[in-house]
Amino acid sequence: MKYAIFCATGAIGKGLATTLANKGQSFRVVGRSDERLRRDFRVYEPLVEYCVADLADPAAAARAATGVDTIFYT
């Protein structure tokens, strides 16, 4: 199963990332800043996949959701 955490850099997103990583589950983090995503989630590499997207843009949101089974919107 492939997971994505949209708006990942908040407290809930970080908590979800920790839970998924502790289970050995790979996941995608989605946010507007590549720098912030990498700073906040690099500890989970190689389980984490980074996706920069402004979710106000429908095309960017669709791209961020591609190949994902479950989306957590935090």
Side-chain angles (χ1 to χ4, degrees), residues 5-30:
I5 305 170
F6 281 28
C7 305
T9 57
I12 294 171
K14 289 175 183 174
L16 282 168
T18 299
T19 299
L20 291 170
N22 285 342
K23 293 181 178 191
Q25 179 63 53
S26 62
F27 57 95
R28 178 180 300 159
V29 290
V30 181

Side-chain angles (χ1 to χ4, degrees), residues 1 10-11 16 18-19 39 45 47 51 59 62 68-69 72-74:
M1 173 138 332
L16 282 168
T18 299
T19 299
R39 181 190 67 222
E45 292 177 0
L47 294 173
C51 180
V68 172
D69 300 305
F72 296 102
Y73 183 82
T74 64

Side-chain angles (χ1 to χ4, degrees), residues 46-69:
L47 294 173
V48 65
E49 174 188 343
Y50 304 101
C51 180
V52 176
D54 181 347
L55 298 178
D57 175 0
R63 180 178 46 80
T66 299
V68 172
D69 300 305

